[in-house]
Amino acid sequence: MKDRISYLQKKKTEFVQSNSNSSEITPSEWLTINQFLFDIKQIDSPCVSVYYPYGMGQETISLLQESKRKEPFEKIESKIEKRITELKKNPHSAGRFTKTLCIFGWIKNNKINLKEIGTSKKLPYVYMVSKIPFIKPFSDILKTNYDVLLVTLDHKTARIRKFHGSQIIQESTLRIDLQGRHRKGGQSQGRFLRARQTKIHVFFKKVANKVKKMGSNSELLLLGGIGPAKTEFYGELCSELAKKCRFVENLSFSTTINDIDKKIIHHLYQHRRKRVTEIIEKYEKLFKEGLTAKRNDIIYNALKTGAVDTLIVSANYHSDLQFKNIMKMLEIAKSKSSKIEFVVSPKIIKKLEIDNSVLAILRYRII
């Protein structure tokens, strides 16, 4: 009995640890953030974007007060400061626990507007003024800003759905009338099977053409269905879509939208991890050619001259001594159209911490 209790306690500990370390959010929080971002993306005015760890409100207020901006932004920041004080007592959260609070402020019709959300994810510390709201931390870390094509099929039916975040923005269903078994009489079984296979092949060609039209700008193509149809269909995809394709287990026409959300989130997280790994590999390759920088003062100057192609930043950079300098780098990078990539992998963050939390891929060599 003692051993049994010990075993259950061990399993409970493993469950808690695996869930607390999980990098994926729940579908309900994912949906809430998607809706929030949909509203935020309607803002077409210069905006103050502030992300800060829960419990760091006073430090964030001090940061806002230290930075001097033009008068309209000073007014927005003053209102954000007041809102941060209020949120200390009652934070608005999309998830069960709040790790990061995000506030966006802008002026419309001479009125200051604020929108905020709390998330269970640890997002980078951000304080930025830009032409539109800065939502990349959500796009990168919460995987809410990508187009994903989901294809569910068997030999007779194909359902194609295009998702942007949680919203289905396009949908199509294709079907054929296909006899399942050879009946006695008429053509031989061999001829029946050949005719059946030809019909399936023509159907798959038609589906592949539809997928190509709907999925040209999709980040991922997720392919599933009960039986061997998905693997047979894969051979009909063009090379561009085949590279984006991932097979999805336990997906059928009856799979609930909640389970579909979970599968999309999972595959987007895998895709993001692969992308960050490729960026670091690119950095290491270009290092030999003199097209990288790792000293913060050099990166800062390179950003101001527009020489930085990609700024690679640890999501934990707010714990670095260069914190305020890196915040300025992010704002300059945004204004100079440099790509910003936040890294959440502990292994890569450890590497970045050696280089003061920031690396840069350059557009051209700097002296």
Side-chain angles (χ1 to χ4, degrees):
M1 183 68 178
K2 206 171 183 179
D3 290 340
R4 175 68 177 165
I5 293 171
S6 176
Y7 171 81
L8 290 172
Q9 287 175 335
K10 183 182 176 185
K11 284 296 175 187
K12 182 180 178 182
T13 302
E14 288 174 355
F15 174 81
V16 170
Q17 287 176 343
S18 66
N19 278 275
S20 63
N21 294 330
S22 174
S23 62
E24 298 176 18
I25 59 175
T26 63
S28 61
E29 182 175 358
W30 192 63
L31 289 167
T32 303
I33 290 171
N34 266 282
Q35 185 57 55
F36 178 81
L37 289 187
F38 176 80
D39 295 338
I40 288 294
K41 283 188 282 187
Q42 310 310 308
I43 302 167
D44 58 357
S45 306
C47 185
V48 178
S49 306
V50 179
Y51 299 60
Y52 65 97
Y54 180 57
M56 297 283 285
Q58 193 54 52
E59 290 82 352
T60 306
I61 289 172
S62 298
L63 185 66
L64 289 165
Q65 290 172 343
E66 281 176 29
S67 305
K68 297 302 175 187
R69 303 279 187 179
K70 292 180 180 178
E71 186 181 353
F73 297 116
E74 287 286 336
K75 289 179 179 178
I76 295 172
E77 288 173 1
S78 178
K79 191 161 183 178
I80 288 175
E81 289 165 21
K82 291 177 183 176
R83 186 61 185 145
I84 289 173
T85 302
E86 293 168 1
L87 287 171
K88 284 181 187 178
K89 301 173 183 176
N90 186 26
H92 170 216
S93 182
R96 189 174 174 186
F97 303 104
T98 304
K99 287 190 178 178
T100 309
L101 283 160
C102 315
I103 305 178
F104 300 87
W106 71 100
I107 295 175
K108 185 175 182 181
N109 299 327
N110 296 316
K111 181 184 176 184
I112 298 172
N113 297 271
L114 296 184
K115 281 188 76 72
E116 80 269 341
I117 194 168
T119 171
S120 66
K121 287 297 296 173
K122 186 178 180 182
L123 301 184
Y125 211 133
V126 171
Y127 161 40
M128 182 183 294
V129 174
S130 50
K131 293 179 181 178
I132 56 174
F134 184 68
I135 61 170
K136 188 167 178 59
F138 283 112
S139 302
D140 281 351
I141 297 172
L142 301 182
K143 316 300 173 294
T144 55
N145 204 32
Y146 299 113
D147 285 341
V148 175
L149 205 66
L150 182 73
V151 180
T152 311
L153 81 169
D154 56 23
H155 289 134
K156 298 188 289 185
T157 306
R159 181 192 293 158
I160 310 163
R161 285 184 278 189
K162 189 172 187 176
F163 289 81
H164 182 79
S166 62
Q167 294 181 319
I168 299 173
I169 57 175
Q170 200 174 352
E171 186 170 6
S172 180
T173 301
L174 303 175
R175 293 186 179 87
I176 57 168
D177 182 20
L178 188 69
Q179 187 178 324
R181 295 181 180 180
H182 177 247
R183 295 169 185 165
K184 292 181 180 180
Q187 60 186 333
S188 68
Q189 182 160 346
R191 187 181 296 174
F192 166 79
L193 291 174
R194 286 193 297 273
R196 187 177 187 275
Q197 199 57 46
T198 299
K199 198 169 184 178
I200 291 170
H201 177 69
V202 171
F203 174 59
F204 281 173
K205 280 280 187 188
K206 187 177 179 182
V207 174
N209 288 333
K210 190 69 176 178
V211 168
K212 188 175 181 179
K213 287 179 183 177
M214 290 174 63
S216 58
N217 61 343
S218 295
E219 193 81 11
L220 278 178
L221 167 59
L222 302 182
L223 179 58
I226 304 302
K230 56 183 178 290
T231 52
E232 295 170 16
F233 172 73
Y234 176 78
E236 302 293 340
L237 294 172
C238 65
S239 58
E240 182 186 347
L241 286 174
K243 289 176 187 175
K244 298 179 181 180
C245 185
R246 306 287 184 274
F247 288 103
V248 182
E249 297 299 321
N250 302 317
L251 180 69
S252 69
F253 296 111
S254 60
T255 302
T256 65
I257 195 68
N258 189 51
D259 285 339
I260 286 172
D261 286 341
K262 289 179 184 177
K263 294 177 191 300
I264 290 175
I265 295 167
H266 174 69
H267 282 277
L268 279 170
Y269 270 86
Q270 286 189 328
H271 176 67
R272 176 65 189 163
R273 283 193 286 268
K274 182 183 176 185
R275 175 171 164 73
V276 170
T277 301
E278 288 170 351
I279 289 167
I280 296 299
E281 287 172 353
K282 182 180 178 181
Y283 173 89
E284 290 170 347
K285 180 182 176 183
L286 293 176
F287 175 78
K288 299 172 185 177
E289 300 174 26
L291 286 171
T292 64
K294 64 178 183 177
R295 277 180 48 190
N296 285 15
D297 56 338
I298 292 174
I299 295 172
Y300 188 87
N301 290 326
L303 280 164
K304 289 197 290 186
T305 60
V308 174
D309 174 78
T310 305
L311 187 68
I312 306 167
V313 186
S314 162
N316 293 344
Y317 80 90
H318 63 271
S319 60
D320 194 283
L321 292 173
Q322 289 276 332
F323 166 55
K324 291 181 182 178
N325 197 29
I326 294 170
M327 291 197 82
K328 292 176 185 174
M329 289 187 196
L330 290 168
E331 196 162 28
I332 297 169
K334 180 69 174 172
S335 67
K336 296 289 184 179
S337 299
S338 300
K339 294 187 284 289
I340 300 171
E341 296 293 348
F342 291 108
V343 175
V344 294
S345 161
K347 185 178 178 181
I348 299 177
I349 283 177
K350 191 174 180 181
K351 172 183 172 61
L352 280 166
E353 284 171 352
I354 297 169
D355 301 308
N356 293 318
S357 296
V358 181
L359 296 172
I361 295 173
L362 303 175
R363 291 176 173 138
Y364 49 83
R365 290 188 184 189
I366 55 177
I367 298 172

